[in-house]
């Protein structure tokens, strides 16, 4: 399970990030990729980064030069995060002739290596086929969908069966404009977009005094107009909670306050040990919360066990050759 959120700061630049929620760590760590780094895709030959990249992920010996990125931003402010899309919602295909065949584990790297804006990504996905390749032994394909954002908009990329879940239909690639600038997990984005309509009565405003016959009824404190806001850890509830807070959080001035805004929004939907078990028996928890500030050109994150914010700047990658584990 995961949550991603996007907004723009007082300079009109993107601030975007995600919670990475899972039952165990894979040894993920910050990764920098230098400009003009060439990596080999599984089906489409070589790609070369047009700008430096900063993000979080892992590297494996079987894929030298190709980091497996959980979330990543490039110097242009284009960001991509891979989020769980399980319960058989995520569906991949075999490679197809005449298509741009990108393995699921390559999507964040492919997007931030090749494109500068969400608009460019949308155009490229018109011919995209997401393939069912294993990254390396012991790393089978994870069922994912992707949140892609820049300073103008965000989109959701999903390849799912036509009926969703267990329908068994041929997978269809869909790209959704995301007006909420939020993504969680399954069901598909179309469900989340519709489900939010059930909560249009919620408001952060002070609850005014009302009359009930001869009785005057006052609010007992702040918050009654948010009664009914879902608080459970499911993806459906986290989407609603994050969408409302992302909409109602007051605009902030300055990079520090906008970092705080992002991390507090993500904290509102964070997973804590003891709250929900996975099928494996592991408690799911927010292993890290990471984000990118375009104004600062900085990727920053903290972890479940350490709330200290660590950060890395694109300027430090200016002369980087290849990949560096930070």
């Amino acid at each position: 399970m995961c949550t991603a959120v996007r907004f723009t700061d007082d300079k009109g630049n993107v601030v975007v990030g995600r919670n990475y929620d899972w039952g165990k760590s894979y040894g993920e760590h910050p990764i920098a990729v230098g400009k003009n780094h060439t990596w080999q895709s599984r089906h489409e030959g070589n790609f070369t980064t047009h700008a430096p990249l900063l993000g979080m992920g892992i590297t494996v010996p079987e894929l030298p030069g190709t980091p497996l990125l959980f979330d990543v931003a490039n110097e242009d402010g284009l960001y991509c995060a891979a989020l769980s899309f399980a319960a058989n919602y995520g569906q991949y295909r075999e490679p197809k002739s005449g298509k741009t065949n990108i393995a699921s584990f390559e999507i964040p790297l492919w997007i931030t290596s090749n494109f500068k804006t969400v608009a460019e990504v949308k155009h490229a996905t018109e011919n995209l086929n997401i393939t069912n390749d294993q990254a390396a032994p012991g790393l089978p394909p994870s069922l994912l969908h992707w949140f892609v954002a820049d300073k103008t908009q965000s989109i959701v990329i999903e390849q799912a069966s036509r009926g969703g879940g267990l329908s068994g239909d041929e997978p269809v690639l869909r790209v959704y404009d995301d007006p909420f600038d939020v993504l969680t997990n399954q069901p598909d984005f179309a469900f989340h977009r519709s489900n939010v309509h059930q909560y249009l009565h919620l408001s952060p405003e002070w609850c005014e005094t009302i009359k009930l016959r001869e009785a005057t009824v006052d609010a007992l404190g702040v918050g009654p107009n948010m009664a009914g806001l879902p608080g459970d850890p499911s993806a459906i509830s986290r989407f609603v909670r994050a969408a409302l807070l992302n909409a109602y959080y007051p605009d902030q001035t300055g990079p520090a306050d906008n970092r705080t805004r992002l991390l507090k929004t993500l904290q509102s939907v964070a997973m804590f040990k003891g709250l929900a078990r996975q099928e494996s028996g592991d408690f799911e928890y927010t292993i890290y919360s990471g984000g990118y500030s375009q104004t600062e050109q900085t990727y920053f994150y903290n972890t479940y066990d350490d709330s200290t914010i660590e950060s890395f700047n694109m300027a430090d990658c200016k002369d980087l050759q290849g990949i560096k584990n930070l």
Side-chain angles (χ1 to χ4, degrees):
M1 298 294 194
C2 307
T3 305
V5 173
R6 168 207 173 271
F7 59 88
T8 51
D9 64 15
D10 49 306
K11 296 183 181 298
N13 289 323
V14 69
V15 183
V16 60
R18 59 91 54 85
N19 285 341
Y20 174 65
D21 308 331
W22 200 242
K24 62 179 180 180
S25 171
Y26 287 92
E28 57 285 331
H29 54 268
I31 294 175
V33 182
K35 182 179 179 180
N36 297 322
H37 170 69
T38 298
W39 59 278
Q40 184 173 7
S41 72
R42 190 61 55 90
H43 301 290
E44 297 294 331
N46 290 339
F47 292 106
T48 300
T49 58
H50 73 275
L53 315 179
L54 281 173
M56 187 77 74
I58 61 174
T59 56
V60 295
E62 295 87 350
L63 291 172
T66 305
L68 307 180
L69 295 167
F70 298 6
D71 72 310
V72 60
N74 66 26
E75 191 177 35
D76 302 295
L78 181 65
Y79 173 89
C80 180
L83 281 68
S84 178
F85 195 41
N88 291 298
Y89 273 87
Q91 300 284 329
Y92 306 135
R93 293 194 184 108
E94 293 299 312
K96 281 191 170 186
S97 177
K99 289 284 190 178
T100 303
N101 295 291
I102 304 297
S104 59
F105 63 86
E106 297 171 338
I107 293 289
L109 182 59
W110 175 70
I111 285 174
T112 52
S113 291
N114 290 288
F115 309 111
K116 297 182 179 183
T117 66
V118 169
E120 292 178 0
V121 176
K122 287 177 70 175
H123 179 71
T125 58
E126 292 174 4
N127 199 47
L128 177 63
N129 178 48
I130 303 174
T131 65
N132 194 28
D133 292 272
Q134 181 169 306
L139 289 175
S142 297
L143 300 182
L144 303 169
H145 57 177
W146 294 268
F147 182 75
V148 185
D150 64 11
K151 66 181 181 180
T152 63
Q153 61 185 315
S154 62
I155 59 172
V156 176
I157 300 171
E158 296 179 344
Q159 189 167 285
S161 59
R162 191 175 301 277
L166 293 169
S167 72
D169 298 330
E170 175 72 11
V172 176
L173 185 86
R174 298 180 177 91
V175 179
Y176 299 95
D177 291 326
D178 184 352
F180 304 106
D181 292 320
V182 163
L183 184 63
T184 56
N185 312 105
Q186 65 280 352
D188 57 21
F189 182 76
F191 172 92
H192 291 297
R193 183 176 56 191
S194 177
N195 182 59
V196 170
H197 289 258
Q198 296 189 81
Y199 300 93
L200 55 84
H201 60 287
L202 298 182
S203 166
E205 300 305 320
W206 174 256
C207 189
E208 299 294 336
T209 299
I210 64 169
K211 293 283 290 185
L212 294 176
R213 292 181 65 84
E214 298 304 315
T216 299
V217 182
D218 297 308
L220 296 177
V222 298
N225 281 331
M226 277 291 188
L229 178 69
D232 65 82
S234 71
I236 294 170
S237 294
R238 283 184 287 108
F239 189 99
V240 173
R241 207 154 64 248
L244 288 176
L245 185 55
N246 195 35
Y248 291 140
Y249 203 113
D251 291 340
Q252 301 295 296
T253 300
D257 287 341
N258 279 293
R259 285 197 306 272
T260 297
R261 174 183 172 178
L262 178 68
L263 293 172
K264 291 300 184 183
T265 302
L266 292 172
Q267 186 180 14
S268 76
V269 289
M271 301 284 286
F272 304 100
K273 294 177 182 179
L275 193 61
R277 285 192 190 273
Q278 296 180 323
E279 187 177 3
S280 65
D282 295 320
F283 276 117
E284 190 157 310
Y285 65 103
T286 298
I287 295 174
Y288 77 87
S289 300
Y292 183 73
S293 166
Q294 186 182 12
T295 293
E296 298 176 283
Q297 295 274 286
T298 296
Y299 182 88
F300 54 93
Y301 76 100
N302 57 19
T303 67
Y304 188 86
D305 295 315
D306 187 354
S307 61
T308 304
I309 300 172
E310 302 287 344
S311 63
F312 302 91
N313 194 277
M314 285 289 181
D316 298 331
C317 307
K318 181 179 179 181
D319 299 318
L320 176 63
Q321 302 291 317
I323 300 170
K324 183 178 181 181
N325 294 325
L326 301 173

